[in-house]
Amino acid sequence: MEIIFKGKRALVTGAGKGIGRTAAKALAQCGAEVIALARTQADLDTLVKEVPSIKPLCVDLCNIQEAVKAIEEQDDIHLLVNNAGVLIQSPFLDITEEQFDKVNSINMKGALFVAQAVARKMVSGGFGGAIVNVSSRSSIRASSNNGIYGPLKASLDMLTKVMALELGPHKIRVNSVNPTFVNETRMADQGLGRLTPDERQAKINTLPLGKYPEKEDVVNAILYLLSDKAAMVNGVNLLVDAGPFGR
């Protein structure tokens, strides 16, 4: 199944590392004009060295007003990968307001207002588009020390559905991908780093497919949801998690 985005402009947030970086490169390979948003200039510099056609945009989503202004200054945007996110793990009784605010500022508040800025361009231009929010399996499966990240991803799932409902009449489709831990990403290192090799293997053994997804597995799902191949897919939270846990 060939996916082509020639003539489309795509914005990818959190494009400096991990899933976002892989998504930016894949979109460019599919012919899209890519704007890569990240907070670390060094990450953007190396990305542009790899793919010179990518346009870097160094913005910290913690300053959402600055980020929205930078997005408003861009030309038409037809595709959005709302990927930027942070993970803070803490026992429920130890969660602080500062921790909550930091995660919320990127994972929910940032995602909402980035999507709003892009959707306004799509609506005013009358050309429609597609948005994919990068959520998590943690939105539907509880785990210890996850009283901030999981609930905020659950909020992002519902935001995805509300956006799909309200923006559908403007020919804008909105979906999410919900991966489990993804190999060779910073969040996987954070989430699994405290485990012994035996504990990590025990988690892998609960996966019906016997392994965690790769970045490309998640990006392939994103590309599908952004493409015309998914023309009637709207408001879906698509799990990319190797199958039901708990075996």
Side-chain angles (χ1 to χ4, degrees), residues 25 52 235:
K25 293 163 67 174

Side-chain angles (χ1 to χ4, degrees), residues 1-241:
M1 180 175 66
E2 187 176 17
I3 294 177
I4 299 174
F5 294 118
K6 188 175 181 180
K8 303 290 187 181
R9 185 174 295 107
L11 172 65
V12 181
T13 69
K17 296 181 175 70
I19 293 169
R21 188 183 185 96
T22 304
K25 293 163 67 174
L27 281 162
Q29 290 171 355
C30 291
E33 180 182 336
V34 178
I35 304 168
L37 187 154
R39 64 181 178 180
T40 304
Q41 186 64 53
D43 289 338
L44 292 172
D45 291 343
T46 58
L47 176 60
V48 172
K49 282 185 179 179
E50 292 180 35
V51 187
S53 65
I54 290 178
K55 178 180 178 180
L57 187 62
C58 190
V59 179
D60 188 343
L61 292 185
C62 286
N63 187 339
I64 194 60
Q65 292 181 342
E66 178 184 346
V68 167
K69 182 180 178 182
I71 292 168
E72 290 173 345
E73 291 172 350
Q74 305 303 309
D75 292 330
D76 291 343
I77 298 173
H78 310 90
L79 308 168
L80 169 62
V81 181
N82 221 352
N83 167 75
V86 296
L87 170 66
I88 292 179
Q89 295 179 303
S90 175
F92 172 73
L93 294 177
D94 296 335
I95 291 172
T96 67
E97 184 177 356
E98 180 182 11
Q99 289 175 327
F100 178 89
D101 288 344
K102 182 175 181 179
V103 178
N104 181 59
S105 67
I106 304 296
N107 294 19
M108 183 58 187
K109 181 180 177 180
L112 188 159
F113 287 106
V114 166
Q116 185 184 72
V118 172
R120 282 175 172 163
K121 285 180 174 290
M122 295 173 175
V123 172
S124 64
F127 48 79
I131 296 171
V132 174
N133 295 321
V134 178
S135 183
S136 171
R137 182 190 67 95
S138 293
S139 69
I140 61 170
R141 184 179 175 91
S143 58
S144 298
N145 303 315
N146 202 18
I148 307 174
Y149 182 81
L152 287 172
K153 287 298 189 181
S155 296
L156 183 61
D157 283 358
M158 183 50 67
L159 176 64
T160 297
K161 293 181 181 296
V162 172
M163 290 168 61
L165 181 66
E166 294 192 17
L167 298 177
H170 298 285
K171 299 181 180 179
I172 302 169
R173 295 184 301 103
V174 187
N175 296 286
S176 75
V177 292
N178 297 54
T180 184
F181 291 120
V182 177
N183 284 326
E184 297 183 0
T185 61
R186 182 174 53 184
M187 283 195 184
D189 290 342
Q190 283 182 260
L192 299 172
R194 58 189 169 81
L195 302 180
T196 67
D198 286 345
E199 288 172 333
R200 184 179 290 212
Q201 187 59 51
K203 277 187 169 290
I204 293 173
N205 290 341
T206 68
L207 298 168
L209 296 183
K211 66 185 292 288
Y212 286 119
E214 305 296 333
K215 295 185 287 290
E216 290 77 11
D217 295 321
V218 181
V219 170
N220 286 338
I222 291 171
L223 295 178
Y224 165 70
L225 291 173
L226 290 175
S227 77
D228 291 340
K229 309 294 184 183
M232 294 304 293
V233 181
N234 192 34
V236 166
N237 305 130
L238 178 61
L239 285 165
V240 184
D241 67 349

